[in-house]
Amino acid sequence: MPCGRQESGAAAAPARYVVGVDVGSTVVKCHVYDRAAAVRGSGWRKVESLYPHPGWVELDPEVLWSQFVGVIKEAVQAAGLHMRQIAGLGISTQRATFITWHKRTGKPFHNFISWQDLRSAELVNSWNKSLLLKVVHVIFTVLHFLTGNDRYLAPSFLTFSTQQTSMKLSWVFKNIHEAEEAAKKNNCCFGTVDTWLLYRLTKGSVYATDYSNASATGVFEPFTKCWNPTLCNLLSIPMSIYPPVKDTSFNFGSADSEIFGVPIPIMAVVADQQSAMFGECCFHPGDVKLTMGTGGFWSVNTGEHLFASRRDLFTNVDETAKMARSIVDSQGVCFVPGFQVSVNDPYLCASFMGLKPSTTRSHLVRAILESVAFRNKQLYDTIVKKVRIPLQTIRADGGVSNNSFVMQMTSDLINKKIEKPANADMSSLGAAFLAGLASGFWTDKEQLKKLRRIEAVFEPRKDLEEYKPAMDTWLQAMKCSPRW
């Protein structure tokens, strides 16, 4: 199957429903929405991650493809509908997970390499300590000083991390001979999850990605809206491997009729965090979206301006909130998450500190939940310092947003009101909204705002000083964990 390019065509004829699919890190979910944005049918599958070596995280592309098709069929059937009643399909995907394949045969050179994968840790450390990177910093610092152009600000303090696609892609070409040889002959295709799904849905006729997924790779230049040739030259990654970048809400063509029985218009592909933000209707500068799921993410609508910045313990989320409130504090127990704000450490791992003979299951659970809220506070403070825009409405989603203890504590710590939507699956809703706008199913953003439903509002109840002793202990524990 060749990697083809597509031309935008006329939008699909109006129909009664749109489908939003969210290919996340742990679950593939699909919802069928009516014009009131009510869910009419759903389907889901658990994502089957592979761990072939310590630190490696992969996904089997054929299994993921089967799950993707399966949840769509399941959701439409659960809604009691026929595929021809679907006006458009919107696809939200986890970011920075990627695959490479042969341009002529369509055969992958390897499994999907997850954004959580750590195989490039040694490469990352080597680059971040290199003299060449220091030279790059100096050059772009001078350029930023002379021009005042923020385009040169980010490269002036560029550091690599294992989450970025760039380092793992460099690893692929250093370690997978077939991919390296194909790239030399212009026969290698690169794609994040959205690109691969588009390719498969259209039987190889559509090879593309969107701006939100491209920007999450660490290889895309947001100021020029192009793949970054300087970075690719630096890492010896051929520019020929990248797909064309299209608008997020766009007619990408139709799914081949052999897959679902009829051709379904593909009207949007979008990265999960941006999709959730759109689903939350964060349309105005200063609107903030907080997602608490596999990871914790704060996203801010900055308007027209770009900013260069520097379950074994419990069975469900609701149970953890009750356990945390059953004790007055964590008894000095701290949970250190496997990620720290402003710290680039691929060897950092999650850990408990301060365990005592009197420590109970409830203390461990409370320590975990407190760490989520403390990290939210750190990220919020970073955003306030970095983004020169007054922050307006804060809206939360993701599985952990169902935990009232975390939500209330976060509200207390940042001293801001936080809204929680009735529908926590914002990524699939955002993809559906984007597809619905592109297909004419919904008319404009104002109509989408009216469809939004709020389930709960959390307002500050305690003063920040009440949390200071526990947060100071947690910060001290964080200092003991790097380079584990």
Side-chain angles (χ1 to χ4, degrees):
M1 292 185 294
C3 295
R5 296 177 181 237
Q6 77 293 334
E7 302 297 330
S8 60
R16 297 172 56 192
Y17 306 93
V18 291
V19 170
V21 187
D22 176 27
V23 184
S25 300
T26 57
V27 177
V28 181
K29 293 178 288 188
C30 177
H31 298 303
V32 179
Y33 298 93
D34 60 20
R35 291 190 190 278
V39 176
R40 299 298 296 271
S42 301
W44 71 279
R45 299 282 193 283
K46 187 174 185 280
V47 172
E48 300 175 14
S49 296
L50 306 173
Y51 307 95
H53 301 286
W56 291 29
V57 186
E58 299 180 350
L59 303 173
D60 185 317
E62 292 304 319
V63 171
L64 190 66
W65 167 248
S66 176
Q67 292 176 325
F68 175 80
V69 173
V71 296
I72 295 176
K73 291 180 177 179
E74 181 181 326
V76 174
Q77 182 178 4
L81 304 175
H82 190 279
M83 290 291 181
R84 60 174 169 267
Q85 294 176 271
I86 306 303
L89 170 64
I91 305 170
S92 163
T93 59
Q94 55 180 285
R95 302 173 298 168
T97 294
F98 74 94
I99 193 170
T100 62
W101 66 93
H102 197 282
K103 183 181 290 187
R104 288 189 294 103
T105 67
K107 182 181 178 181
F109 294 116
H110 52 84
N111 285 334
F112 275 108
I113 299 177
S114 169
W115 63 274
Q116 300 165 302
D117 188 281
L118 300 177
R119 74 185 65 194
S120 62
E122 291 185 9
L123 201 56
V124 166
N125 285 336
S126 175
W127 266 103
N128 287 340
K129 295 176 182 177
S130 69
L131 177 61
L132 181 55
L133 192 60
K134 290 181 174 62
V135 172
V136 170
H137 289 169
V138 171
I139 291 173
F140 281 97
T141 297
V142 172
L143 286 173
H144 180 253
F145 176 77
L146 294 175
T147 65
N149 190 332
D150 276 354
R151 176 187 174 188
Y152 302 119
L153 180 58
S156 70
F157 53 84
L158 169 69
T159 55
F160 294 107
S161 75
T162 55
Q163 285 80 27
Q164 294 167 336
T165 300
S166 55
M167 280 288 105
K168 285 178 284 214
L169 194 52
S170 178
W171 182 95
V172 165
F173 291 122
K174 289 178 183 295
N175 291 275
I176 301 179
H177 178 70
E178 294 85 353
E180 180 189 22
E181 288 301 307
K184 289 178 180 178
K185 298 175 182 177
N186 255 3
N187 279 328
C188 181
C189 290
F190 160 87
T192 43
V193 174
D194 60 301
T195 303
W196 173 252
L197 291 176
L198 277 174
Y199 182 78
R200 291 297 299 267
L201 282 167
T202 59
K203 296 289 184 75
S205 66
V206 176
Y207 180 52
T209 188
D210 86 304
Y211 288 107
S212 64
N213 278 291
S215 65
T217 62
V219 194
F220 190 75
E221 169 55 66
F223 288 91
T224 61
K225 295 183 179 179
C226 295
W227 297 106
N228 191 324
T230 304
L231 182 59
C232 289
N233 287 333
L234 197 65
L235 300 177
S236 300
I237 300 173
M239 290 288 291
S240 61
I241 69 171
Y242 297 110
V245 184
K246 304 293 184 182
D247 286 336
T248 298
S249 186
F250 178 78
N251 186 348
F252 287 90
S254 295
D256 190 276
S257 59
E258 289 185 8
I259 299 172
F260 299 113
V262 296
I264 297 179
I266 307 165
M267 305 306 292
V269 297
V270 58
D272 54 5
Q273 295 307 313
Q274 288 85 340
S275 185
M277 196 168 191
F278 201 85
E280 290 272 27
C281 296
C282 293
F283 301 146
H284 305 290
D287 283 350
V288 181
K289 187 273 304 174
L290 165 61
T291 291
M292 293 181 287
T294 306
F297 303 93
W298 288 78
S299 302
V300 183
N301 185 333
T302 62
E304 299 294 323
H305 305 286
L306 284 173
F307 284 85
S309 169
R310 305 173 80 159
R311 74 191 199 184
D312 293 329
L313 294 173
F314 47 83
T315 56
N316 62 64
V317 174
D318 294 333
E319 181 188 349
T320 62
K322 294 176 184 176
M323 292 172 70
R325 290 195 177 96
S326 70
I327 50 178
V328 295
D329 56 41
S330 64
Q331 206 182 62
V333 177
C334 295
F335 177 72
V336 179
F339 165 81
Q340 290 189 21
V341 178
S342 303
V343 174
N344 181 17
D345 182 1
Y347 299 106
L348 183 67
C349 62
S351 60
F352 281 105
M353 295 188 184
L355 298 177
K356 309 172 186 67
S358 58
T359 299
T360 66
R361 188 171 67 141
S362 293
H363 290 121
L364 296 178
V365 168
R366 182 168 178 129
I368 292 173
L369 300 186
E370 285 181 346
S371 77
V372 175
F374 290 150
R375 188 174 63 171
N376 284 341
K377 166 66 172 170
Q378 284 187 315
L379 289 167
Y380 176 82
D381 288 347
T382 301
I383 290 171
V384 170
K385 292 176 184 176
K386 297 285 185 181
V387 180
R388 301 179 295 275
I389 292 178
L391 301 185
Q392 306 297 332
T393 307
I394 298 178
R395 295 161 180 167
D397 64 85
V400 183
S401 69
N402 292 318
N403 188 293
S404 58
F405 179 86
V406 172
M407 293 290 288
Q408 185 58 57
M409 189 172 176
T410 299
S411 176
D412 292 342
L413 288 169
I414 67 175
N415 196 33
K416 285 280 189 179
K417 179 176 72 173
I418 304 176
E419 295 178 356
K420 179 187 177 300
N423 179 0
D425 290 336
M426 284 293 113
S427 293
S428 58
L429 180 60
F433 275 173
L434 288 161
L437 288 177
S439 63
F441 187 80
W442 288 299
T443 55
D444 53 32
K445 293 177 183 176
E446 291 304 314
Q447 183 183 7
L448 299 184
K449 288 182 189 177
K450 295 175 183 177
L451 301 177
R452 189 169 176 271
R453 300 289 181 266
I454 299 173
E455 179 182 282
V457 177
F458 296 84
E459 300 194 44
R461 293 179 182 173
K462 291 184 179 180
D463 190 87
L464 175 61
E465 287 300 311
E466 294 187 43
Y467 294 102
K468 191 174 187 304
M471 189 163 184
D472 286 347
T473 302
W474 181 75
L475 290 171
Q476 186 63 35
M478 296 281 276
K479 293 177 182 177
C480 299
S481 60
R483 303 297 301 174
W484 190 260

